[in-house]
Amino acid sequence: MSQAPSKVGILIFPGFEPLDVFGPVEAFHTISKKLAKINLVWIGPTLDPVGSAPKDIHTTTMGSTVDTRVVPTHTYDNPPEDLEVLLIPGGLGPRVPSSDGAVAFVKKTYPKLKYLITVCNGSEIAARAGVLDGKKATTNKFGWKESVATGPKVEWVRTARYVADGNVWTTGGVSAGIDGILAWMAHVYGREVARQVANEMEYEWRDDETWDPFAYIFGEYA
Amino acid sequence: MSQAPSKVGILIFPGFEPLDVFGPVEAFHTISKKLAKINLVWIGPTLDPVGSAPKDIHTTTMGSTVDTRVVPTHTYDNPPEDLEVLLIPGGLGPRVPSSDGAVAFVKKTYPKLKYLITVCNGSEIAARAGVLDGKKATTNKFGWKESVATGPKVEWVRTARYVADGNVWTTGGVSAGIDGILAWMAHVYGREVARQVANEMEYEWRDDETWDPFAYIFGEYA
């Protein structure tokens, strides 16, 4: 257990998808209490609060106003030196130019990491940084075509709840991040620990990377 | 649809559980784009960022440091006057004295609401405010005994992913909030809308209030 990573960073940028972040964060919260040492940090463009859905990129036809503002603990320019795990969420953010800073951060940081984890189209940030090239990976099924277009040298796996290739874990869309992080926790901290985390979260863990009804549901549209 | 509620408040307090909040918030994000008008607000003790796990109440035996800081848009003293829906998350926060302000806010606000929704032991806030008295309700199964003790006049339902009684919806622990909010959306906006939200979230919706393996898993311990 002394080798198990504890320093975990959540990459945030304007337009992050809430559950991409907070599914895995809930699992880190739960495991951190009595099962593993976790030091969680939040890495944003600056130390100012970062919104999940800034008005300039949140497309709604309904007159909705929906935003979540989260406060970073670190910046892309000054991350913790001992970062071991980086989690990249998706959302609308990866598809606008303001995400260039996040891409540059991932490119610079990946060689120092023990693990990189992407949720949903957080894969686009990783693909644009080149760190998925030549690797097997998956992404969300709802916006599959747009996501895989960002990584022409990636070996994309269409029907997969999550994919592990070396130290890179990628998951399907949004909720798939929860199954992915639990599988990663099983790999790193042991299956019994991951099961306990899932149960405390009262989460029906799909402990099977090939389980993916959404590949079929969105088969014609993605 | 003109009668459907759009003004939704998330009640936050120090020690809120992340997924209790962000499972439902993700559903509100998703439905807000093209399916329903949603104006989401965040109601905290003050306008300062609110932490999910402040050090004074986060019990860890592992040396962990895990926190999420979210920025409120409104305060208990100055909520939006036209609030229609209030969501109350759980966590360690409801079990410490600093949650008294949240309880008083719920007591004061409930009569003006169209719907009250609790996730996990957010039920404790509602029970302490007296708004569950005489109603059927559920809560998390992991900490069942401690939660139901806060509401001796509540008709607790042990095996339930979620329970609706009048305009009050209560859900099981943590992840159950997602099934609960989807069922509530089916009730309010229609089943096809709720299904579309679940699919875009790539979430395996358990559209059955009696589905609750966690009532059995934690049967001996809770």
Side-chain angles (χ1 to χ4, degrees), chain B residues 161-178:
Chain B
R161 190 66 168 166
Y162 51 89
V163 168
D165 188 341
N167 69 347
V168 176
W169 291 62
T170 52
T171 84
V174 196
S175 310
I178 308 176

Side-chain angles (χ1 to χ4, degrees), chain A residues 17 26 141 204 206, chain B residues 17 26 141 202 204 206:
Chain A
E17 194 72 26
E26 179 65 37
K141 307 312 178 314
E204 184 185 22
R206 286 293 188 172
Chain B
E17 194 72 28
E26 178 66 36
K141 307 311 176 315
E202 299 193 14
E204 184 187 20
R206 286 292 190 174

Side-chain angles (χ1 to χ4, degrees), chain A:
Chain A
M1 189 65 87
S2 63
Q3 299 292 318
S6 63
K7 194 81 173 195
V8 177
I10 309 294
L11 181 71
I12 45 175
F13 43 77
F16 70 87
E17 194 72 26
L19 193 56
D20 293 13
V21 168
F22 288 100
V25 162
E26 179 65 37
F28 282 118
H29 262 250
T30 303
I31 201 173
S32 76
K33 291 175 189 168
K34 294 178 182 171
L35 298 169
K37 180 180 178 180
I38 299 293
N39 299 118
L40 193 78
V41 298
W42 297 80
I43 308 173
T46 71
L47 292 177
D48 292 333
V50 177
S52 60
K55 282 170 187 167
D56 59 322
I57 61 171
H58 185 57
T59 54
T60 173
T61 56
M62 306 297 295
S64 296
T65 51
V66 176
D67 195 11
T68 297
R69 288 183 297 154
V70 172
V71 186
T73 58
H74 295 77
T75 65
Y76 302 160
D77 290 336
N78 285 297
E81 293 210 354
D82 55 350
L83 194 66
E84 296 172 288
V85 180
L86 183 68
L87 185 136
I88 310 176
L92 293 170
R95 296 182 174 177
V96 293
S98 64
S99 61
D100 288 350
V103 171
F105 172 72
V106 170
K107 192 167 190 166
K108 174 183 74 174
T109 305
Y110 174 69
K112 305 173 194 169
L113 295 173
K114 286 186 180 170
Y115 293 97
L116 182 74
I117 304 167
T118 72
V119 176
C120 198
N121 70 320
S123 64
E124 295 173 16
I125 300 278
R128 286 164 56 199
V131 303
L132 299 185
D133 285 353
K135 288 194 172 64
K136 287 182 185 166
T138 196
T139 185
N140 72 108
K141 307 312 178 314
F142 179 66
W144 174 263
K145 276 190 184 168
E146 197 164 351
S147 292
V148 302
T150 63
K153 297 178 184 171
V154 181
E155 195 177 329
W156 294 105
V157 183
R158 166 90 187 163
T159 302
R161 190 65 168 165
Y162 52 88
V163 168
D165 188 340
N167 68 348
V168 177
W169 291 62
T170 53
T171 84
V174 198
S175 310
I178 308 177
D179 290 317
I181 204 71
L182 289 169
W184 177 83
M185 285 181 171
H187 172 74
V188 172
Y189 305 101
R191 189 157 301 277
E192 284 305 308
V193 166
R195 172 57 59 193
Q196 197 169 331
V197 170
N199 284 350
E200 286 193 29
M201 289 170 61
E202 299 194 13
Y203 180 72
E204 184 185 22
W205 178 19
R206 286 293 188 172
D207 185 13
D208 174 1
E209 65 195 272
T210 68
W211 179 86
D212 187 12
F214 303 101
Y216 299 93
I217 287 170
F218 295 115
E220 293 176 48
Y221 311 103

Side-chain angles (χ1 to χ4, degrees), chain B residues 26-64:
Chain B
E26 178 66 36
F28 282 117
H29 263 250
T30 303
I31 201 173
S32 78
K33 291 175 189 168
K34 295 178 183 171
L35 299 168
K37 179 180 176 180
I38 300 291
N39 299 119
L40 193 78
V41 298
W42 297 81
I43 309 174
T46 71
L47 292 177
D48 292 334
V50 177
S52 60
K55 282 172 187 163
D56 59 323
I57 62 170
H58 185 56
T59 55
T60 173
T61 56
M62 306 297 295
S64 297

